Amino acid sequence: MLEAALGLFAGASFFLPRLPGFFGEYLGLTGARLDGAEMLACGLATHYVPSAKLSLLEATLTCRVASSTSSSCDFDSTISTIIDEYSLKKSTLVKKCLSKPTMEEILSDLEEELAKANTREAGDHNEWLAATIQSLKKALPMSLKITLRLFREGQVQGIGECLFREYRISCRVKQGKISKDFREGCRATLSNMDKKPKWKPSKLELITDHMVEHYFSKLDGDDKEWKEFKFPTRSKFPVFANSKL
């Protein structure tokens, strides 16, 4: 689910930012699901062959393997070489656009790439760019800025630090002191389902660094009902001696 469409934010700030090529930022900001080419680009697959080429790949494999009398090592190499012939190569488009330091620059680069793509036959690139831009423009601007910062910092932080920050931001979102857009997002997406949320602030450029910083600030001190997350100590759990579990 696209959390930014609800006025929330994307979690998983420990492992998603560790995907290569800024695919973590792409998934967190857009809520997209990876297709074959994107799985290949972020290192989660070794090859990607478009559906239209599968029958040709099968025929080539059948023909060459049937006529092959080489050793097992060469046989494996032959298989890999054949698949490489029909496989798409990694795209650098996600890395190029999503590597920018701010949401404003990311969106600007995507729109610039789409304008360039429209002047030539770019095929899937046009469709991907248009869908990504549309998704970002529909999302809550505040959520996008929070998620981007969360992911960039999560690249160099441990899982404990990431969990602390995600809990803290969740509490700040529910408090609604800067914005009540979480309720508005739930209304537009889950309740009334009119898909027309009225975000406040409504644009990226209206959101200051100070506003974003509020969501990352500690909870202790400003409200007794909201406390910092604490991991339970091990002593609170029962210890089973000689347990076979």
Side-chain angles (χ1 to χ4, degrees):
M1 174 176 280
L2 175 57
E3 285 88 348
L6 293 176
L8 202 55
F9 67 97
S13 61
F14 175 73
F15 69 87
L16 280 183
R18 284 164 170 75
L19 290 180
F22 294 89
F23 266 92
E25 281 86 339
Y26 166 62
L27 296 176
L29 294 170
T30 65
R33 292 175 173 83
L34 293 177
D35 61 18
E38 291 161 347
M39 289 280 286
L40 177 68
C42 66
L44 297 176
T46 59
H47 297 81
Y48 166 60
V49 180
S51 299
K53 293 185 178 181
L54 286 177
S55 58
L56 292 174
L57 171 62
E58 183 179 358
T60 303
L61 283 170
T62 302
C63 179
R64 293 193 194 176
V65 171
S67 61
S68 176
T69 58
S70 58
S71 65
S72 175
C73 181
D74 290 339
F75 180 81
D76 292 341
S77 178
T78 299
I79 296 293
S80 181
T81 300
I82 294 171
I83 296 177
D84 280 337
E85 292 176 11
Y86 291 92
S87 178
L88 293 182
K89 306 306 177 186
K90 294 182 180 180
S91 171
T92 60
L93 194 57
V94 172
K95 183 176 182 179
K96 181 179 185 299
C97 297
L98 274 293
S99 63
K100 297 299 184 292
T102 68
M103 275 308 309
E104 289 89 341
E105 291 174 276
I106 288 174
L107 190 55
S108 176
D109 262 35
L110 288 167
E111 291 175 330
E112 187 176 319
E113 286 296 326
L114 181 59
K116 292 177 182 177
N118 286 333
T119 64
R120 61 183 187 276
E121 292 186 8
D124 292 340
H125 281 182
N126 293 51
E127 184 178 344
W128 178 83
L129 284 164
T132 300
I133 292 170
Q134 183 181 30
S135 177
L136 293 176
K137 287 189 172 182
K138 283 184 176 181
L140 171 63
M142 183 71 77
S143 293
L144 295 178
K145 288 204 169 187
I146 290 172
T147 298
L148 184 63
R149 174 174 167 178
L150 188 65
F151 277 33
R152 293 290 161 82
E153 293 180 358
Q155 291 175 356
V156 294
Q157 293 182 330
I159 189 169
E161 293 174 288
C162 291
L163 291 174
F164 277 118
R165 289 183 311 132
E166 290 178 17
Y167 172 82
R168 184 182 296 163
I169 297 170
S170 296
C171 292
R172 291 298 189 191
V173 168
K174 293 173 184 176
Q175 282 179 326
K177 291 184 177 181
I178 297 292
S179 165
K180 301 187 184 302
D181 283 322
F182 179 46
R183 293 181 182 178
E184 173 63 10
C186 289
R187 181 203 64 77
T189 306
L190 303 176
S191 180
N192 294 353
M193 294 187 289
D194 59 14
K195 308 296 182 183
K196 295 179 180 179
K198 296 178 176 61
W199 304 128
K200 296 179 182 179
S202 60
K203 297 180 181 179
L204 289 169
E205 54 267 28
L206 297 177
I207 300 171
T208 66
D209 291 341
H210 177 73
M211 294 167 71
V212 176
E213 180 63 32
H214 168 77
Y215 291 89
F216 288 80
S217 62
K218 290 185 177 181
L219 296 168
D220 292 339
D222 61 343
D223 193 328
K224 293 182 179 180
E225 293 184 6
W226 302 88
K227 296 294 183 181
E228 286 286 287
F229 174 75
K230 293 182 180 180
F231 284 111
T233 58
R234 185 173 294 275
S235 61
K236 291 183 180 180
F237 293 95
V239 177
F240 299 94
N242 301 319
S243 173
K244 295 183 179 180
L245 294 178

